[in-house]
Structure formats: C-alpha cells, structure tokens
Amino acid sequence: MREVRIKDIDENEIDTILAEDINFTGKLSFQKPLMIKGVFKGEIKASSDLYIGLNAVVTARIEANRVSAKGRIEGDVLAYSQIELFASASVVGDLTAPDLIIERGCKYNGRCNMQETRPKQKGKNG
C-alpha cells in the first residue's frame, strides 16, 4: 500500500495567520484562507480554507471549504471540499466531507461521513 503524502501550504499564500501566542475564544468567520497557530475555542464558520498549524489547539465546531490540520482539533468538522489530516494531527470529533486524506500516524477518534456538502444558502430575507 502506498503511503499518503499531503502537500504543505506556503504560509505566504495565506491572508491571515493567528500566531502561536494568540489565545482566542469566540466565533470566527472569514472569506479568505486563514491559519491558526495558537489556541482557539468556540465556533468557526468560513467559506474559505482553514489551516491548523502544528502546535495549534482548536476546540470548536468547524465549517469551512477545506480543513487542513497538523495540530489538535476537538470538535466536529464539516468541509465542503476536503479534510486533510497530517501525521502530526490529533482529532476527536466527527468528520463530514466529500474527500478525506489521512496521513499515517494521525490520531483520529470519531465518525466519518463522506458526502457532498454545500454551504447553506441565505434566503431572500437574510
């Protein structure tokens, strides 16, 4: 069996990075790629890609286009296109995405639902 390798992202391609010394609690919403390197607790709802750095700890329900993780996630993850879990990642929560890539060595405990997901469209009234 061939070993899976995920392509690393160049941090210069990411618009916003929450640095390692950031400890943030609340709701996070964004429309351009974002990387978390520190600690985040709350809820993430985005139409773009989310990158979770090696030493990051994210305790949240996550909804994003793509979720690529090297660090720790505690909470359910819904991705519209793909979830990527690097060997260093640790995930406790359910995953929902049409495409899932897990490198050997990743620690994952939860349920996986591989189905097409789409962002909820706002109606005429909001």
Side-chain angles (χ1 to χ4, degrees):
M1 182 182 252
R2 202 174 101 212
E3 189 163 327
V4 174
R5 300 295 299 161
I6 305 170
K7 182 180 175 247
D8 264 327
I9 186 73
D10 180 359
E11 287 187 23
N12 294 323
E13 297 176 20
I14 300 173
D15 286 355
T16 305
I17 297 176
L18 298 180
E20 286 137 354
D21 60 344
I22 298 293
N23 189 333
F24 186 87
T25 300
K27 291 184 178 182
L28 187 58
S29 178
F30 52 93
Q31 296 177 345
K32 293 188 177 181
L34 178 126
M35 177 178 274
I36 297 173
K37 289 182 157 188
V39 176
F40 178 86
K41 293 179 183 176
E43 182 180 333
I44 298 171
K45 189 168 185 175
S47 58
S48 188
D49 299 341
L50 172 65
Y51 299 93
I52 298 171
L54 182 63
N55 297 313
V57 177
V58 176
T59 305
R61 184 190 183 292
I62 299 171
E63 187 175 327
N65 180 53
R66 178 189 339 173
V67 177
S68 182
K70 292 183 179 181
R72 181 166 178 75
I73 299 174
E74 296 178 14
D76 296 342
V77 178
L78 182 145
Y80 307 126
S81 65
Q82 184 177 73
I83 296 172
E84 302 170 333
L85 302 177
F86 285 78
S88 58
S90 173
V91 179
V92 176
D94 296 343
L95 304 178
T96 302
D99 189 24
L100 174 64
I101 301 170
I102 301 177
E103 279 187 342
R104 174 185 227 151
C106 170
K107 293 176 178 50
Y108 167 56
N109 189 2
R111 294 181 183 202
C112 178
N113 185 356
M114 293 185 69
Q115 67 182 27
E116 286 291 321
T117 56
R118 297 191 195 290
K120 292 179 182 170
Q121 299 295 322
K122 290 186 178 179
K124 291 179 183 177
N125 296 327

